[in-house]
Amino acid sequence: MTIIIAILSFKLLLFQGVCTFILLSRLARGARRIPPLTPKLPYLALIGKVSVIIPTLNECDRISPLLESITRQSYETREIIFVDSNSTDGTQEKIENYSKKDPRIHLITDPPLPKNWVGRPWALHNGFLNSSENSEWILGVDADTIPHKNLVATVLDFAIQQDYDLVSFSPQFILKSMGEWWLQPSLLMTLLFRFESSGVNTNNPSTIMANGQCFLIKRNILTEINGYTYAANSFCDDVTLARYVASLGYKVGFADGSKIIKVRMYEGLQDTWQGWGRSLDLKDASSKLQLWGECLFLLLIQALPLPLFFLCLFFYPHFDFLSFKLLFALNTFLVIIRFALLGAIASSYQFNKSISELTFILSPFADILAVTRIILSAFTKPSQWRGRVYE
């Protein structure tokens, strides 16, 4: 039995050691990342450069904060196009009421969803087709976000200064229940472990991250690639499109927008599990080899360290061979890193001194669940989303 455990310990130590080296190299690059964007005031050179496109589908109960914020954007915003997919809850009426106050707001209804399209990229595609040719940039924004009043000026100035052709921004998340505070940070950590963090540039298109909640791209690029057609059937259309554009040689970036845009995505633990897990595996933007390599990586480097730490701690008095002790040391190190990373992602959350927020500290204990969700999602393709049913 001791020999078997020694062999297993050595093999596990070897695989985890390689994954730890990869993780540390990514974290080292993250330490030198571009800091979070701070709001910038608009200036005359930005006048009329951006068309904002916002897809909607039954958003009546949560779209008011967006409407209040997006209509406060300054003169760099040429138009605000809401592309509604036949909402039945009063969403269109609410948008129309705001259009009476702000002539930049245009409400259109997208045509019936084609068989080979997912709803979100279809809405964005139709928004692009209906946008002004005088706009140099297209900014996609989700209906559940709360933009800063200078969001458009800030992201546009950043893209110009950094010479990006496409750049998207990570938001600050608004969580409420204890279940959300426990599970969601663990799901977010799966992205941090697999890819470069926001604010880190990468030359490898296959590892580029993107966020469709705030997604800025040059209009001429969308014209060249026929709008959002390349990401038509992708449930992670933002990452799919960003990686494709990067593969064409354009400069693509992913920055920290936690100070300029907030989002309340899901309600409660179950909604977080279903919603975040829907496309977090990013299989629509990855090869099968990359997908399963990432799943194995997460299993070894995020899911197993905490259970292995307690298991090795329990059996430590009974085994004194080197591979077991090194395995215990390595997983202790990984657990320390995991808890330390809570500080690194803390700025991605809006804290209000609620008792529910205490479970944020316990989120590493949800890592097994988070990685399991990624693996389950990797096996399946969503059959329905936001009221739509897909074959």
Side-chain angles (χ1 to χ4, degrees), residues 178-200:
M178 296 184 74
E180 293 173 62
W181 279 104
W182 178 64
L183 179 61
Q184 201 266 14
S186 184
L187 291 167
L188 180 65
M189 194 65 67
T190 64
L191 295 175
L192 182 62
F193 274 29
R194 284 186 286 166
F195 309 111
E196 305 290 359
S197 59
S198 56
V200 177

Side-chain angles (χ1 to χ4, degrees), residues 340-353:
L341 286 174
L342 289 175
I345 66 170
S347 62
S348 297
Y349 296 93
Q350 178 178 286
F351 288 90
N352 297 310
K353 298 182 180 180

Side-chain angles (χ1 to χ4, degrees), residues 21-34 168 170 188-211 239 243 252-256 282 290 294 297:
F21 176 80
I22 296 172
L23 176 64
L24 291 177
S25 66
R26 289 174 181 167
L27 295 179
R29 290 191 294 272
R32 301 188 298 272
R33 70 189 186 120
I34 299 173
S168 61
S170 62
L188 180 65
M189 194 65 67
T190 64
L191 295 175
L192 182 62
F193 274 29
R194 284 186 286 166
F195 309 111
E196 305 290 359
S197 59
S198 56
V200 177
N201 289 323
T202 176
N203 295 321
N204 184 357
S206 67
T207 61
I208 283 176
M209 270 302 298
N211 177 35
V239 180
R243 291 181 178 179
V252 176
F254 181 50
D256 188 338
L282 303 182
Q290 180 184 3
E294 290 169 1
F297 179 81

Side-chain angles (χ1 to χ4, degrees), residues 13-59:
L13 178 66
L14 180 63
F15 287 118
Q16 279 193 309
V18 172
C19 291
T20 301
F21 176 80
I22 296 172
L23 176 64
L24 291 177
S25 66
R26 289 174 181 167
L27 295 179
R29 290 191 294 272
R32 301 188 298 272
R33 70 189 186 120
I34 299 173
L37 274 68
T38 55
K40 300 287 186 181
L41 293 174
Y43 48 90
L44 291 178
L46 304 181
I47 291 179
K49 287 187 178 292
V50 182
S51 289
V52 179
I53 300 175
I54 305 170
T56 59
L57 175 58
N58 294 329
E59 309 283 358

Side-chain angles (χ1 to χ4, degrees), residues 218-236:
K218 286 182 177 178
R219 179 185 180 83
N220 67 298
I221 296 177
L222 282 176
T223 301
E224 176 188 336
I225 64 175
N226 192 19
Y228 293 80
T229 304
Y230 186 81
N233 62 353
S234 174
F235 281 89
C236 57

